Each structure stands twice: as structure tokens, then as C-alpha cells.
Amino acid sequence: MLNLNNIEVVYDNVILVLKGCSIEVPEGRITTVLGANGAGKTTTLKAISGLLKPERGAVTRGSIDLDGERIDLFEAHDIVKKGIVQVFEGRRVFVNLSADENLIAGGHIQSSAVMKQRKELVYGYFPRIAERRHVQAGYLSGGEQQMLAIGRALMSDPKIVLLDEPSLGLAPMIIEEIFGIISKLNKEQGVTVLLVEQNAALALAIADHGYVMENGAIVMDGPASELGENADIKEFYLGISEHGEKRSYRNVKHYRRRKRWLN
Amino acid sequence: MEDFNWGFFLELLVSGVLIGLMYSLIALGFVLIYKSTDAINFAQGEFVMIAGIIVGASAASYGLPLWLAISLSVAFMVLFNVGLERTVLRPMIGRPIVAIIMATIGLAALLRGAGPFFFGAETRPLNLPIDDAPIIIGDHFIYLNPIHLLGAAAAVIFLLGFGWFFLKSRKGVAMRAVADSHQVSMAMGINVQRYFALAWVMAGVVAALGGVIWGSLLGVDTQLAIIGLKVFPVVILGGLDSIVGVIVGGIIVGVVENLAAGYLDPMVGGGTKDFTPYVLMILMLMFKPYGLFGKPIIERI
């Protein structure tokens, strides 16, 4: 189980991005964090995977624990060895390497024997990548790149995969395919997933538990099915108002309600 | 008009190829660093010089056997480059590329001073234990310098070795991944800083070898650093990040230089050898800025 205990993240010693954020990621489940642009979702993931330092950010308060062990002071490559791996927003495959080499780079921490096994597993889940394994990754389609990015992360045999907006910029059909595979990986391989999404409907459909993040803090959380029914979530994240009408910005009421969250 | 002298042409061509391969060796150090760390190292020529001076000084002035002198020089370059990476280059990660360029230019100046400061400024011979009588091939009487042959052979071995390393070995793939994106590599569990250090170490070893070979040809003093300038036409022609490019670029530069020296110099009175590679370089930049084998930036639209 991964625990974020009231963490605070500061960039450049002054910019406070996360203001006391607590998230629990239970083993074998899909947990999702919803939120608008700039809410601090990506920063949360980077804090977990130890990638704040190159961007001159740091966890200044609180702690991140993996099965009771504190990991927020670890280097990024040690966190991968602990079994947490991040899939970046916008895919970020190694464009100059072939798809196969991308997987080899992803399995960097593995022995050759395990590497072979993992490759077979990844190619099994993503037959499309298997077909195009010798193509330079920069020339793959967006959907294929996203699959490759997820497959590459799986190479390290992770316990927990952090997924940052896997739906970004992809066609709805491809998104559905990718989310189907994520859900399958979770069920068949027991991979724990922390999913960050702007597309709330999609995320809540496959997640077990959801958090809503605004302005660097968690403002609400609950089982995914309950969140999906929540009036505020419906209105702000799913775009459906209470009476099923189209939302109007003339309606002042929802601003007031939003204020209540921010207190 | 008299008959075209094919023997002369062939001799220029062959020795041009050999010299070109020796340029490739120097340029390889530059490419190794650029490929994995994105840093442009203006001090590669000075690395070669300092490595050559160490061999020359310890062999000629202190009387060490050659193999010991060479090992000493390789060991020094490895340690020096590890230290350099740790103290100077690591804190620069993520800074603008110009900052790193300036740092290496400063380093070059420092090394150019440090060489004579510690070992004296005299030119020393560096004698490899091979016969330097020219090898004569065929009825066209092609004269080949054995040091050229040895240098070219060493260069080819190293180039093939590194080519294999980058394409086939896991560490090589990881190194290319690091070159592609530092951040993503980190997230894949790759210890990026260790690979940076490895790249500098490899460049140091290559520089030491280059210092021995070029030093045995020209003698060792600070002038040896000028070889470093030849790196630029080689890598621009071949592509900044390609090992095949380094080989081809080196050969082109070597051959063009030699042909210019053979045919143009008698006409204009000399000196064309020194600038023709740079003319080629400028032409290449105008028409194919990534070089013959460089990777263009892939952009999805």
C-alpha cells in the first residue's frame, strides 16, 4: 500500500504547489485522482516517483510511505527498484529508439532472463506493439506510443504504476482500448494503479476509489461509484447539472458551491 | 596535357582514408559525449593533447616503458574525466547548453596551460615500437606510413566496438535512452548520472588512444590540441550523434585534405589542406544541417 501523508511540495523554494495532500493507494486496486489543469496532479505523481529534484522541487512536509517504508527521500532510480514506475503525460517514448529498445530501456533494472519474460508479457498485452517492434518509436501513432509507454513501464515488473493522463490527445476508440488494457492488467497481473485524469467519466468507470484535487489539496474522496453520483462531480467534472440541463455560467449558485470546497 | 598519374592519386586517396580514420577516432570521443549527455565538448582536442603529453613525458623524460606510460595516461584520463563530470558537469545538468559549452571552452584553455605547466613546453618524441619505413604496395608504388596503418586499424576496432555497444548491448541502449530524455530515463530506473560519467570515461579512453597515435605521428606538445579542431568538420559532415557518421565524416575530411594538398597546393602555393575541410563543413551546414547520418528531430504533427 502506498500512502501520501499530508505532503507539501515546494518548487524553487517558494512556489507552494501541494498544500497538504493525503492519498491512499491500496494494493491491487485502481485509484484515481481527478482535477483540472494546474491542480497539482502531475506534481503528486512526480513526488511519488522521485522526479521533483531535477525540476528543483522538493517534498518539504509530510511523508510518502510504501508498505510502511518512507520513500520520499529516495532517488528516482531507487524508487523504480522499489516497484513504483511512472508513465508520463504525453507518452514520452524514446523517439530515437525502436519499440523493442524502448522496452529494453524500460527493463533496465532486470536481469536478462526476467527481461525476456517481461517482454513476452508486454507483447502479449499489446500485440500492436509486437507487430511494430522494430519501428522507431517516434514514427508510431499516438495510440501506439501510449501503449508502448505503458508497456515500457511494465518492463520493470512494478507493483504500482502511476499513470498520468493516458487519454491525452487520443481518439475515443483508442482511449477505450487502452483503458480496457489497464483494467485487464489490474485484474490479471494484480498491478496497483494510481491514475490521474481529466476525463473523469472514463477514470471513474475503471477506478475503485477516487480523489478530487483542487488547487494543491484533496477536496473530496470516495468510492468511484459514489463520486460518479455526487452532484458536484457531475456538474464540474462530468458536465451534467442537477436537473440534467446544460450548465449555464449565469447560474451563480455553482460558483458558491465551488467556494465551499476551497473554503 | 600529360597523363593523369593514377599512382599519385591512389596514394593520396589511401593515405587520406587512413588519416581520416584517425580523425574519426578523435571525433568519436566528441560524439560519445554528445550522444549521451547532449553536451558539446570543446576540450576534446585538449584531452588528446594532455593524454599525449603524459605518455610522452613519462616515456621520454622519466624513462618509463611505453606500455606503462600508456596505461598511466589512460588511467589519468579516466580519473580526470570522472572528476570532471562530478565537479563541473553534474551541477550543470538542466542548465542552458551554452553554459556547458562555455565550461568546456574554459576547460580547454585550462588544459592548454596545465600541460606545459606540469610537463614543460618542449616537443617530445613518442616512439611506438614499430618500423617506420614506408610500406610499398603494388606497381604504382603506393607509399604508406605504418603509423597511419596502425592508427587507422586501432580507430576501426574502437569504432566497431562502440558501434556494437550502442546498438546491441543493454548498457548501450540505456545510454541512448538517456540521450533521448534524461527525465524519462530516470523514471525507468536508469541511473542517469552514472551513464554521464561512463560517457566521459569512454571519451577519455578514446582521447588517450588518440593522443598516443597522433603523438607518435606529430610529436607531443600543446600543438597536438589543434587536432581537436578537425573534429568539427568530421562530426558536422557525419552527423553529431552517429558513429557511422564519424567514420564516413572522418574519411571524407582525410581524403579531401589529402587531395587538396596533392593537387591544389602546387597551384596556389600551399595551405589549402588546412581550410578545405571547413569549406565542406559550411556547405554541409547550408544543405544538410543534421549531417549525413545525424538523426533529424522527429516531430509528430
Side-chain angles (χ1 to χ4, degrees), chain B residues 140-181:
Chain B
H140 284 302
F141 299 108
I142 299 172
Y143 289 85
L144 293 178
N145 184 336
I147 295 180
H148 285 173
L149 269 179
L150 179 77
V156 167
I157 290 169
F158 264 63
L159 289 163
L160 289 179
F162 280 110
W164 177 88
F165 172 78
F166 275 111
L167 287 178
K168 295 286 175 228
S169 80
R170 278 177 57 174
K171 279 205 159 50
V173 170
M175 206 151 187
R176 278 159 60 213
V178 169
D180 206 306
S181 164

Side-chain angles (χ1 to χ4, degrees), chain A residues 90-103:
Chain A
R91 310 183 285 269
R92 305 282 297 274
V93 293
F94 298 121
V95 293
N96 294 300
L97 274 60
S98 71
D100 200 59
E101 287 169 340
N102 265 274
L103 296 187

Side-chain angles (χ1 to χ4, degrees), chain A residues 92-136:
Chain A
R92 305 282 297 274
V93 293
F94 298 121
V95 293
N96 294 300
L97 274 60
S98 71
D100 200 59
E101 287 169 340
N102 265 274
L103 296 187
I104 293 174
H108 184 71
I109 62 167
Q110 304 292 12
S111 68
S112 301
V114 180
M115 175 98 87
K116 224 173 160 189
Q117 270 176 344
R118 298 301 298 177
K119 248 196 218 173
E120 263 161 40
L121 181 117
V122 170
Y123 283 141
Y125 276 96
F126 301 99
R128 266 217 249 180
I129 304 299
E131 267 168 46
R132 310 201 65 191
R133 64 174 82 184
H134 296 300
V135 177
Q136 206 181 337

Side-chain angles (χ1 to χ4, degrees), chain A residues 46 51 54-55 77 80 85 88 91-92 94-97 101 105 107-112 115 136 138 140-142 145 152, chain B residues 95 166-167 169-171 173-174 176-178 180-181 183-195 295-296 298 300:
Chain A
K46 282 183 181 160
L51 290 168
E55 302 183 344
H77 49 88
V80 176
V85 67
F88 284 91
R91 310 183 285 269
R92 305 282 297 274
F94 298 121
V95 293
N96 294 300
L97 274 60
E101 287 169 340
H108 184 71
I109 62 167
Q110 304 292 12
S111 68
S112 301
M115 175 98 87
Q136 206 181 337
L140 296 176
S141 75
Q145 286 190 350
R152 183 179 61 183
Chain B
R95 297 292 159 82
F166 275 111
L167 287 178
S169 80
R170 278 177 57 174
K171 279 205 159 50
V173 170
R176 278 159 60 213
V178 169
D180 206 306
S181 164
Q183 194 188 27
V184 181
S185 302
M186 258 181 238
M188 294 296 112
I190 296 171
N191 188 340
V192 170
Q193 288 168 345
R194 192 175 297 165
Y195 278 92
K295 58 178 185 210
I298 300 172
R300 296 187 76 255

Side-chain angles (χ1 to χ4, degrees), chain B residues 31-198:
Chain B
V31 168
L32 286 173
I33 289 174
Y34 181 75
K35 225 173 144 66
S36 40
T37 70
D38 261 351
I40 293 178
N41 177 21
F42 276 86
Q44 190 67 28
E46 278 70 14
F47 285 176
V48 172
M49 171 203 79
I50 215 86
I53 286 185
I54 290 175
V55 177
S58 48
S61 308
Y62 299 102
L64 291 182
L66 190 65
W67 63 269
L68 190 61
I70 292 176
S71 329
L72 199 69
S73 164
V74 170
F76 172 81
M77 287 314 294
V78 167
L79 288 179
F80 181 78
N81 277 4
V82 168
L84 184 72
E85 195 275 333
R86 182 127 323 168
T87 54
V88 180
L89 296 144
R90 191 170 294 183
M92 305 260 261
I93 292 175
R95 297 292 159 82
I97 197 84
V98 175
I100 298 172
I101 291 175
M102 284 305 171
T104 63
I105 290 177
L107 178 73
L110 197 77
L111 287 177
R112 228 172 295 152
F117 181 79
F118 287 110
F119 301 104
E122 72 265 31
T123 304
R124 293 187 179 84
L126 199 167
N127 294 321
L128 295 179
I130 49 170
D131 189 12
D132 53 4
I135 298 166
I136 302 168
I137 307 171
D139 44 353
H140 284 302
F141 299 108
I142 299 172
Y143 289 85
L144 293 178
N145 184 336
I147 295 180
H148 285 173
L149 269 179
L150 179 77
V156 167
I157 290 169
F158 264 63
L159 289 163
L160 289 179
F162 280 110
W164 177 88
F165 172 78
F166 275 111
L167 287 178
K168 295 286 175 228
S169 80
R170 278 177 57 174
K171 279 205 159 50
V173 170
M175 206 151 187
R176 278 159 60 213
V178 169
D180 206 306
S181 164
H182 301 167
Q183 194 188 27
V184 181
S185 302
M186 258 181 238
M188 294 296 112
I190 296 171
N191 188 340
V192 170
Q193 288 168 345
R194 192 175 297 165
Y195 278 92
F196 281 8
L198 181 62

